[in-house]
Amino acid sequence: MYQKRKAVIILQLLVICSCSQNLWSPTGLTFIGGFKIGSGQGSSKNDYARGTLALDTTNNSFWLAGHDTQSSVGVFEIVDLVNSLNPDDWNVAKNIQDFRNVLVGSEQSMDRVSGLFVQNNEVIVNAIEYYDAPADNTETTRVIRDKTDLKNSVLSDWYHLEGRAKASGWVSKVPNEWKTALGGNHIFGYSSGQPIIGRLSVGPSAFIVDIEQFNEDVNKTQISSTQVLGYSLTNKIGGDIDLSNSGDDRSNKLWTHLSSAVYGFIIPDTSTYFVIGTNGGFNSGVLYKGTDTSGRLCGGYCAADANDYSVYYWLFDVNDLVDVKEGTLEPYEVEPYQYGSLNSTFSVGKGSLKSCDYDYTQEILYCTYRNLANGEYSRPASMVGYSLEGTGGLVLQRFGDDYPIEEDTYSELESNAESSGESNSGSDEVNGSVALYMGILSIVVLVQL
């Protein structure tokens, strides 16, 4: 096993990317524990949190965007996961740095924290204006210069990412073996799922950025990037994204007006760019300001069936992204080699999955959730952990008012995950490529209680 994995790494270094034989495919997930997160204080709270997340593993803490409309971030400790299905048994993570408004002073009304990333002693903050009607904003990013003193830290001037809103969401590292081929060290990505879809990527995006451009001693505000994945209303990732409830073609199982990607990263030792998010309306259709089956009048787009939402994943071959960088493919010509819903056992409402970040040392993916249950506060966040083995995958579970849940109610990954229109069926091959990555990957999920 070790020799097989080592051989793949050598091939990646010597042949810059004969890595197509190392595609990753999900299969299942095991619950390992959880902990709750306190409300916090300062300019915001964890209540109704936007949930944008960044890990700071060197300090055993994480950064979290607070209330959706308060443009603030705070810092919380990471505490031990408790292996219980009853959140009442869980530890509580304390707020160790008060929330602070970090978008103040924007000349373009930036008001939502859309991405966070800890880089050495600094924190990169991506942002959008929630309703940028003319779609002309160029401000995207600023930097908290001292992560150890959020209250008093200098906030940088606003930076302007070349990809604008299409790039101003999550940030993830490019593994060493891919840096030369992709031409940079970090991925900046985002997707539609916010108002004014024309300014966003209608499908997951990926922009390659040299993160050193944000250093304080680099006198520039225009941040160059290379787009290697991205879509538009003209060149969408799927077919008909409207899926109205009047009998439209429902063959599109990739993207709708209800789709949103929240995080993407290249899984180490593989050639897979893994993107996770939410989807809806595939079965019942998509309404616009209509009434769903629960009797709720939707303020915008919603699924006709109030339960027609799911956590979703899209897997892309990094070799295709390299082809885009080299000019042999357009960013919108890249298609996922596998995609599908992740069975969450309990229904997951619209927009409940908010953000993720990956711990490369512990091999843990942390994700924030909202709208799963209520607690002492208004939907405070909690952490839930899962362990993934083998070629692996994840199944996200929901905790509601009827916990504790018997362990045997946890279900496996849905068998209808699509791979080029067909199920992968647990094969060792994905589109003719041998999946050599076997290791152990753990997933931890932040949920709102």
Side-chain angles (χ1 to χ4, degrees):
M1 177 63 200
Y2 173 77
Q3 291 178 341
K4 190 179 288 187
R5 192 170 175 184
K6 181 177 179 181
V8 172
I9 294 173
I10 292 173
L11 283 173
Q12 288 172 342
L13 291 175
L14 296 180
V15 192
I16 303 188
C17 284
S18 287
C19 337
S20 59
Q21 56 182 291
N22 200 16
L23 294 173
W24 179 85
S25 181
T27 58
L29 188 66
T30 303
F31 169 82
I32 57 175
F35 64 77
K36 295 187 285 189
I37 300 171
S39 179
Q41 56 187 2
S43 62
S44 187
K45 291 185 177 181
N46 184 25
D47 304 348
Y48 295 98
R50 183 165 184 83
T52 308
L53 169 71
L55 300 175
D56 184 3
T57 55
T58 59
N59 289 313
N60 197 38
S61 62
F62 60 92
W63 292 66
L64 186 73
H67 191 288
D68 201 32
T69 64
Q70 294 173 345
S71 308
S72 298
V73 299
V75 185
F76 292 82
E77 64 179 348
I78 297 175
V79 297
D80 290 339
L81 296 165
V82 175
N83 189 2
S84 169
L85 295 178
N86 186 347
D88 290 342
D89 297 333
W90 296 350
N91 297 320
V92 179
K94 296 178 181 178
N95 181 208
I96 56 179
Q97 291 198 63
D98 291 353
F99 283 97
R100 176 186 176 184
N101 186 331
V102 292
L103 305 187
V104 62
S106 168
E107 296 180 355
Q108 298 179 0
S109 303
M110 311 304 280
D111 57 8
R112 298 293 194 275
V113 176
S114 52
L116 290 169
F117 184 80
V118 175
Q119 172 69 3
N120 299 323
N121 195 50
E122 301 181 331
V123 180
I124 293 173
V125 182
N126 284 336
I128 61 168
E129 180 187 3
Y130 179 71
Y131 202 85
D132 177 19
D136 60 357
N137 284 348
T138 60
E139 292 180 345
T140 60
T141 312
R142 73 189 322 181
V143 179
I144 301 167
R145 293 299 182 190
D146 184 0
K147 71 177 184 181
T148 66
D149 188 6
L150 172 58
K151 180 179 179 180
N152 299 303
S153 175
V154 170
L155 298 177
S156 73
D157 292 334
W158 283 91
Y159 289 94
H160 305 254
L161 278 166
E162 193 173 0
R164 296 192 179 186
K166 289 185 177 182
S168 60
W170 64 81
V171 182
S172 60
K173 296 179 182 179
V174 174
N176 289 333
E177 63 268 25
W178 287 104
K179 288 179 180 177
T180 299
L182 289 172
N185 51 27
H186 286 76
I187 292 174
F188 282 58
Y190 208 29
S191 82
S192 57
Q194 305 293 326
I196 318 300
I197 191 173
R199 62 180 170 150
L200 301 165
S201 176
V202 188
S205 73
F207 289 76
I208 306 302
V209 176
D210 276 325
I211 208 163
E212 290 77 16
Q213 294 178 89
F214 294 102
N215 289 353
E216 191 171 10
D217 59 356
V218 178
N219 188 20
K220 64 183 298 185
T221 58
Q222 303 296 321
I223 305 299
S224 60
S225 65
T226 301
Q227 184 179 13
V228 293
L229 181 68
Y231 307 88
S232 66
L233 282 171
T234 302
N235 297 294
K236 301 180 287 291
I237 188 174
D240 176 20
I241 65 172
D242 293 317
L243 296 185
S244 71
N245 200 27
S246 59
D248 285 2
D249 179 13
R250 301 276 172 78
S251 61
N252 168 28
K253 298 295 184 182
L254 276 169
W255 204 264
T256 74
H257 277 293
L258 302 176
S259 305
S260 177
V262 302
Y263 185 67
F265 74 106
I266 298 174
I267 300 175
D269 300 326
T270 78
S271 59
T272 294
Y273 179 48
F274 173 88
V275 181
I276 186 170
T278 57
N279 243 326
F282 287 133
N283 299 314
S284 64
V286 176
L287 303 178
Y288 182 69
K289 295 187 177 181
T291 302
D292 66 18
T293 54
S294 72
R296 181 179 69 93
L297 178 62
C298 305
Y301 289 103
C302 67
D305 185 335
N307 296 313
D308 189 11
Y309 299 95
S310 65
V311 174
Y312 224 73
Y313 71 97
W314 302 262
L315 306 181
F316 298 88
D317 189 341
V318 181
N319 291 285
D320 290 340
L321 308 189
V322 173
D323 288 343
V324 174
K325 187 254 183 183
E326 294 178 347
T328 59
L329 275 179
E330 294 294 335
Y332 57 82
E333 291 178 326
V334 178
E335 297 180 353
Y337 67 83
Q338 186 174 327
Y339 55 91
S341 61
L342 298 170
N343 191 343
S344 53
T345 301
F346 300 93
S347 62
V348 176
K350 177 183 177 182
S352 56
L353 176 64
K354 308 306 293 184
S355 179
C356 299
D357 197 8
Y358 185 66
D359 182 339
Y360 292 85
T361 302
Q362 300 296 323
E363 295 185 319
I364 294 173
L365 181 68
Y366 293 90
C367 299
T368 54
Y369 263 73
R370 197 169 78 175
N371 298 338
L372 296 188
N374 288 318
E376 180 181 356
Y377 309 105
S378 298
R379 301 180 182 131
S382 294
M383 191 82 79
V384 177
Y386 298 88
S387 178
L388 177 65
E389 300 180 0
T391 55
L394 64 150
V395 179
L396 305 178
Q397 312 298 342
R398 168 174 170 158
F399 295 100
D401 297 331
D402 53 350
Y403 59 74
I405 304 157
E406 294 299 323
E407 190 167 354
D408 61 4
T409 65
Y410 287 88
S411 59
E412 296 296 318
L413 181 74
E414 287 186 339
S415 60
N416 64 345
E418 301 190 33
S419 176
S420 297
E422 298 180 358
S423 171
N424 188 41
S425 303
S427 169
D428 288 336
E429 294 190 1
V430 180
N431 285 355
S433 301
V434 180
L436 297 178
Y437 179 68
M438 296 296 291
I440 296 177
L441 182 66
S442 296
I443 311 284
V444 170
V445 178
L446 268 164
V447 299
Q448 294 284 344
L449 295 176

